[in-house]
């Protein structure tokens, strides 16, 4: 088999999932209205805090406002929810058909997860950023380099998020309901990614710990590149860290799939 | 067996059955309750981190804002636990289950409310109650303040129950609940957790005159902090939450008359 024909089924799968995700355009539009509302509320809160102690801030007000809009636009990067289709496959036992297919289970689930994060992110982020730049004081990147680094970081963030999301799907093979990891992982991810509060605002020690964990690369790293808080060298280091974490999580996922397929008990007929 | 006669005893039975069924999956229940605790706990941690860095917000100190967060959080958790059925009402409509509820000789409000009582919301409630207790310990608290705090929690709960009822009423017309409704529920929790004075006018207007969260949380809190002790107006301001709930139940009755089955 040539390398191209080996990869083709996965690419076809990716394209099909992407097409499916683009069907939800009305949902994306309503979602954008919700994100705009949240953004305005959060900007009011952060503005009031910054006014109380501007000298203690590590980010200027325009930078903070821009950071908040970036968070609102990239919210669908977050690995929050279990893929409902996969949960049904596992509950109904039809997941065995997935194993029978002559393709790699991990790779096909990873492609699904990537499409499930990438398409809604693109569909929501672009109109939201346009509205925020035109109407709500979001800044453009200062240089073309910052903008380009931001785009690279978002792509890496999506690859990392897909690895996390696939791990959650795989955990279903062990726990069926996925209630535990499905609830606890997102709670930690919300805090550690910069979604709730820009990591630069946290106390130093905590910030250093969170910047080693993989979650910060989902939102905080792309956002800091956009607002120009990271130099070229730091950017390369951050990218390397993202790639290493993504590879580690993917390896863990593959290992777990292997374990699961050996000990799998199928419920129902 | 004696047939249950009053609507209230039917409600109690339905709720108990619901709770018993959830306790069958004890590990799952504990995990979900802990997950809820963690989600809102870390949200409060983020707020605490902001105070650690910036000191205050619009003249409000951390304990004062914690007081607001505690009131709003526990009121919301109670409402979500009790009125979850209204939140999932679009599923009831879509499956045609509402026809069955209409056939029974009990009020639909009671039946939908008892449709699902989520015990795992206790995680969120406990987290908010801890924050409230922590705030009360550090603020100058008298017995009267506790009474006002209880009234605020109940008023907030009523407001959110009213919002869930209105959200469900909307599905009589739309079948699906649009995501945008979350703006006033989840958005209300976030907005009302901070002093309302920090927001632009349209937001203040929304959460004062359309959704009375201001009079169940921000305004009584401000009265207490300004006077230094609990006052009579602060005790009675949360009544607007109750009025809001009663209004939304009236609207529910009107919507119900408009209902036509999805036919599934």
């Amino acid at each position: 088999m040539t390398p191209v024909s080996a990869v083709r089924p996965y690419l076809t799968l990716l394209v099909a999932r992407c097409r499916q995700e683009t069907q939800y355009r009305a949902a994306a539009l309503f979602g954008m209205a919700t994100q705009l509302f949240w953004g305005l509320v959060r900007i009011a809160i952060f503005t009031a805090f910054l006014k109380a102690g501007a000298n203690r801030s590590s980010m200027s007000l325009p930078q903070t406002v821009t950071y908040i809009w970036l968070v609102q636009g990239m919210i669908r990067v977050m690995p929050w929810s279990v893929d409902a289709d996969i949960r049904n496959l596992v509950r109904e036992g039809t997941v065995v058909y997935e194993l029978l297919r002559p393709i790699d289970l991990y790779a096909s689930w990873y492609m699904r997860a990537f499409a499930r994060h990438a398409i809604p992110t693109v569909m929501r982020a672009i109109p939201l950023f346009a509205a925020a730049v035109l109407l709500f004081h979001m800044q453009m990147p200062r240089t073309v380099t910052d903008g380009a680094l931001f785009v690279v970081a978002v792509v890496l963030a999506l690859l990392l998020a897909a690895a996390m999301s696939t791990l959650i799907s795989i955990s279903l093979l062990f726990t069926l309901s996925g209630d535990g990891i499905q609830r606890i992982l997102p709670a930690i991810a919300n805090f550690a990614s910069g979604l709730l509060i820009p990591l630069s605002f946290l106390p130093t020690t905590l910030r250093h710990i969170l910047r080693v964990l993989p979650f910060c690369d989902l939102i905080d790293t792309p956002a800091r590149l956009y607002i120009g808080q990271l130099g070229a060298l730091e950017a390369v280091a951050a990218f390397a860290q993202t790639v290493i974490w993504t590879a580690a999580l993917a390896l863990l996922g593959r290992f777990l799939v292997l374990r699961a397929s050996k000990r799998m008990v199928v419920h129902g007929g | 067996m004696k047939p249950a006669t009053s609507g209230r005893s039917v409600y109690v039975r339905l709720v108990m059955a619901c709770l018993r069924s959830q306790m069958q999956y004890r590990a799952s229940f504990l995990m979900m309750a802990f997950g809820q605790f963690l989600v809102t706990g870390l949200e409060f941690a983020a707020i605490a981190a902001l105070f650690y860095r910036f000191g205050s917000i619009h003249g409000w100190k951390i304990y004062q804002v914690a007081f607001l967060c505690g009131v709003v959080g526990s009121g919301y958790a109670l409402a979500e636990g009790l009125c979850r059925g209204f939140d999932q009402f679009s599923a009831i409509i879509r499956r045609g289950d509402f026809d069955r509820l209409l056939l029974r000789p009990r009020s639909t409000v009671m039946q939908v409310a008892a449709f699902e009582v989520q015990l795992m919301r206790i995680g969120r409630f406990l987290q908010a109650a801890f924050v409230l207790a922590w705030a009360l310990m550090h603020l100058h608290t008298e017995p009267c303040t506790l009474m006002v705090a209880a009234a605020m929690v109940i008023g907030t709960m009523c407001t959110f129950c009213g919002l869930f009822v209105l959200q469900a009423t909307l599905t009589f017309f739309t079948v699906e609940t649009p995501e945008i409704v979350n703006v006033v529920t989840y958005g209300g929790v976030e907005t009302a957790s901070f002093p309302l004075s920090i927001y632009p006018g349209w937001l203040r207007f929304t959460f004062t005159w359309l959704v009375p969260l201001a009079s169940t949380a921000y305004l009584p809190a401000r009265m207490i902090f300004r006077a230094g002790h609990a006052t009579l107006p602060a005790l009675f301001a949360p009544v607007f939450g109750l009025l809001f709930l009663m209004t939304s139940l009236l609207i529910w009755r009107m919507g119900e008359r408009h209902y036509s089955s999805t036919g599934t």
Side-chain angles (χ1 to χ4, degrees), chain A residues 31 33-34 37-38 40-41 44-46 48-50 52-53 56-57 179 183-184 187 191 197 200-203 207, chain B residues 28 32 34 39 42-43 46 49-54 56-57 120 179-180 183 186-187 190 194 198-199 202-203:
Chain A
T34 315
F37 173 87
W38 278 108
L40 292 173
V41 170
I45 295 169
F46 277 88
F49 271 116
L50 254 69
R56 273 172 276 177
S57 179
D179 284 336
R183 309 240 163 202
I184 288 161
F191 189 84
I197 171 175
S200 328
F201 286 160
L202 291 174
R207 190 170 67 224
Chain B
S28 202
M32 292 203 282
F34 177 69
V39 169
L42 285 174
E43 275 169 21
L50 285 170
F51 274 102
Y52 179 76
R53 180 174 282 266
F54 296 108
S56 67
I57 183 167
M120 67 159 185
E179 184 185 356
I180 202 145
V183 158
Y186 296 134
E190 171 105 358
F194 291 92
I198 63 170
Y199 297 113
W202 61 273
L203 258 176

Side-chain angles (χ1 to χ4, degrees), chain B residues 180-191:
Chain B
I180 202 145
V181 175
N182 292 342
V183 158
V184 276
T185 49
Y186 296 134
V189 178
E190 171 105 358
T191 313

Side-chain angles (χ1 to χ4, degrees), chain A residues 90-136:
Chain A
V90 174
R91 286 214 175 139
E92 290 162 13
T94 31
V95 68
V96 283
Y97 295 132
E98 295 273 298
L99 289 168
L100 288 175
R101 294 201 176 103
I103 54 170
D104 183 67
L105 181 72
Y106 184 85
S108 68
W109 282 11
Y110 184 90
M111 291 296 171
R112 285 175 73 100
F114 183 79
R116 211 163 68 90
H117 289 289
I119 299 300
T121 300
V122 172
M123 280 204 310
R124 283 175 194 228
I126 291 172
L128 183 89
F129 289 163
V133 167
L134 291 175
L135 303 169
F136 303 114

